[in-house]
Amino acid sequence: MNDVILSLRNVKTRFGSRVIHDDVNLDVYKGEIIGVIGGSGSGKTVLLRTILGLNTHAGGKIEIFGKQYHKLNTKEKHKIEQRWGVLFQDGALYSSLNVMENVDVALKEYTKLSSATRNEIAMLKIFLAGLPAESAELMPSELSGGMRKRASLARALAMDPEILFLDEPTAGLDPITANAFDELLKTLQHALGFTVFLVTHDLDTLYTICDRVAVLAEKRIYAVGKLDEVVKNPYPWIQEYFNGPRGRSAKPVPCGEK
Amino acid sequence: MTTQPTPSFDVQTGSDATTISLSGAWTTLHLAAVERAFLRSVKNAAHSIALNLTGISSIDTNGAWLVEQFNRKADALGKSCTVTGASENAGVLLDTVKNRPKSPEKQKPDPFYITLLYDIGETVVTESRTTLHIIGFLGEVLIALVRSCIKPKRFRTTAFFYHLEHVGLRGIPIIALLSFLIGMVLAYMGAQQLQKFGAQVFVIQLVQVSVLRELGILLTAIVIAGRSGSAFTAQIGAMVANEEVRAMKTTGLDPVDTLVIPRVLALLIMLPILGFIADIMGLLGGALMVWQSLDIGLSGFIVRLHETMNINNFYVGLVKAPFFAVVIATVGCFQGLQVTGSAESVGRLTTTSVIESIFAVIVIDAGFAIFFAAIGI
Ligand SMILES: Nc1ncnc2c1ncn2[C@@H]1O[C@H](COP(=O)(O)OP(=O)(O)OP(=O)(O)O)[C@@H](O)[C@H]1O
Ligand SMILES: [Mg+2]
């Protein structure tokens, strides 16, 4: 349980002279669901992209599966890419492929499975992500915003990754679907034991499925720990986040308290 | 994680029961090794099948799905199948996977001659519709043009100048170079052929007529169709794909006014100018070659040009420019607005736009040639 699957040490990122992260330190353990929160524009998406090697970092060290991704050669990079799954904030589906083909992309690239089986697996992932079977044939531009999210989740799950990066997966979903999503993530996570790096604004998600919470503020990870520890952090933003009107209503009522 | 045993299965058939024991890692990257044989084994199995999962070292949803698929196949064949020895994790996975409904039945594709006929019919209908739409769109653009003349406030000055620069100014080098080269080639080939009749001096006339009347402006129009027409389609198409055009409409901005008119006007002004530059450069190229191969210097060339020149040739060439401009800009913008949301359609429509506008340019050019021949200019 205590293997570190992803570690960030003194990570700095900047665009031109604009510093986004100054000194980010974070360890993500194997098999946990870690929720990353922070104000809009605080750099959560940029951090995610940096971990995935899509941005270069200006300093520090990022290790995933014990390796520094950006220093690997192409073949070793592919090995890592097979072991992670990513859901981007705006879906980032391939617009010229239909939903099923979108899910199929990685399977086709990395496995030698027959196309019949790959289709079956794609349909399974589409089902798991909560999409109706008919949507398999639709193009991304024909989907609603929420459906696009779920199609993107199906794609992220295609290879049964060991670590899943999700950027606001429940934003834009109706509460019932969002709940179903939380349930699904929990079930799969329980059965498969994968790790989830979850960027979210959804307090319910935080309360129901996250093992730990990391707060991104002041250009670094300001607080990290179990939810009930983080909630006690006096930093004003955190207080407002959890004790504002939305924060209070999402908080589960402990037994014995009225 | 790296040295996992590949998955395998072992079939033991008794008189009326088959036991299949699975072992190894039934995970995505390893599944290909067993997939086909495993699913096939259901056929030869006895009536009652037991799947024993005790030997499995690890399994993920894709592996679980293979087991479930086996289950369903057995069901379809009327055999009974029980899964035993599943670990707690595997059990959870199997349960999760079990709920997936059957895929909807795929329709059988029609025989090829039906699809062929269908495709031909569809192409004819869509193409003729597109033509009608383009003509309708042209009308819309003309009305908007008139409207912005009446109410110049609606006119987007910044966009207009931006396109003037990008269509015109930045197009000058390539057009100048190309027409210079074409002028040279014309003079060179002409000199070679005419030499056979001892009529080299007519090279100058040849260059003059073909460059001024046809090639200068035609070349310009084709290069601009490839360079700016395609850019119009791609720019507007990307905006449509990004829902920017819808956002515009809801803010009360008319896409024709904001996007199309500045482009059409910019091209309308720049194409004659570019055509003029092409004419001059074509003649210069011709002059260079004439000097090279016939030893007639620039002043000789100009004198000779002056003597034989019919200024009508020049007008005939340039009068076509505005027509070409409107067609190229209209087709480019029209195709851009047809984009449906995928990046692929932006690419496809850009190609279509270039092909259609070059086609239209050449058809119009032919029309003008017949017209001028008929009225004797
Ligand atoms: N390509 C880029 N070039 C320059 N600045 C960028 C770029 N991408 C992001 N930024 C800046 O980095 C900062 C962090 O952006 P980021 O997208 O990570 O925010 P976020 O925390 O994900 O916000 P949200 O919750 O709204 O998604 C923002 O101020 C943004 O302007
Ligand atoms: Mg973000």
Side-chain angles (χ1 to χ4, degrees), chain A residues 15 18 20 39-46 49 89 168 201:
Chain A
F15 292 107
R18 214 163 121 220
I20 308 290
S40 205
S42 58
K44 304 180 294 293
T45 302
V46 171
R49 287 201 204 125
Q89 189 165 10
E168 300 193 21
H201 286 309

Side-chain angles (χ1 to χ4, degrees), chain A residues 62-213:
Chain A
I62 301 177
E63 276 190 0
I64 183 157
F65 304 122
K67 300 197 177 84
Q68 290 191 321
Y69 177 78
H70 69 282
K71 290 196 175 155
L72 299 176
N73 64 29
T74 319
K75 210 171 152 204
E76 291 169 322
K77 277 187 178 169
H78 283 331
K79 283 228 177 80
I80 290 197
E81 285 150 12
Q82 294 167 19
R83 294 167 68 184
W84 71 30
V86 187
L87 183 154
F88 287 97
Q89 189 165 10
D90 39 18
L93 293 167
Y94 304 115
S95 64
S96 53
L97 303 178
N98 69 25
V99 172
M100 177 166 350
E101 289 162 342
N102 259 288
V103 178
D104 193 33
V105 168
L107 291 167
K108 200 169 173 180
E109 184 71 28
Y110 292 126
T111 72
K112 294 197 184 72
L113 294 170
S114 68
S115 73
T117 304
R118 289 204 323 265
N119 281 351
E120 286 289 324
I121 290 179
M123 288 306 294
L124 172 70
K125 297 299 147 86
I126 288 170
F127 158 73
L128 286 180
L131 282 171
E134 299 86 64
S135 55
E137 302 286 324
L138 296 179
M139 303 300 285
S141 58
E142 297 167 332
L143 301 177
S144 77
M147 288 165 87
R148 225 169 287 155
K149 275 260 150 79
R150 279 180 275 166
S152 184
L153 175 71
R155 187 177 70 180
L157 287 173
M159 294 285 287
D160 270 326
E162 288 165 49
I163 182 166
L164 206 51
F165 294 94
L166 308 175
D167 197 350
E168 300 193 21
T170 50
L173 296 186
D174 66 84
I176 300 174
T177 321
N179 270 345
F181 180 91
D182 290 348
E183 284 300 315
L184 167 71
L185 208 57
K186 213 169 174 179
T187 319
L188 286 181
Q189 201 272 342
H190 177 69
L192 289 169
F194 56 53
T195 313
V196 183
F197 184 97
L198 176 71
V199 174
T200 189
H201 286 309
D202 191 330
L203 287 153
D204 293 310
T205 307
L206 281 182
Y207 281 116
T208 43
I209 64 171
C210 290
D211 300 314
R212 287 196 308 152
V213 176

Side-chain angles (χ1 to χ4, degrees), chain B residues 182-195 203 206 289 293:
Chain B
I182 289 289
M184 272 172 63
V185 171
L186 260 181
Y188 183 68
M189 298 304 291
Q192 268 197 341
Q193 295 299 316
L194 290 173
Q195 207 158 26
V203 166
L206 173 79
M289 222 50 215
S293 53

Side-chain angles (χ1 to χ4, degrees), chain B residues 200-259:
Chain B
Q200 299 97 310
V201 275
F202 290 110
V203 166
I204 298 174
Q205 229 159 325
L206 173 79
V207 170
Q208 182 247 111
V209 173
S210 43
V211 166
L212 293 190
R213 216 179 157 101
E214 287 291 336
L215 286 183
I217 191 64
L218 197 60
L219 197 73
T220 311
I222 289 176
V223 170
I224 288 296
R227 197 180 166 275
S228 303
S230 61
F232 291 174
T233 311
Q235 290 158 357
I236 296 181
M239 292 180 75
V240 173
N242 205 11
E243 304 222 53
E244 287 171 56
V245 170
R246 279 190 201 142
M248 249 178 198
K249 280 188 189 155
T250 52
T251 333
L253 297 173
D254 179 16
V256 173
D257 274 346
T258 28
L259 300 177

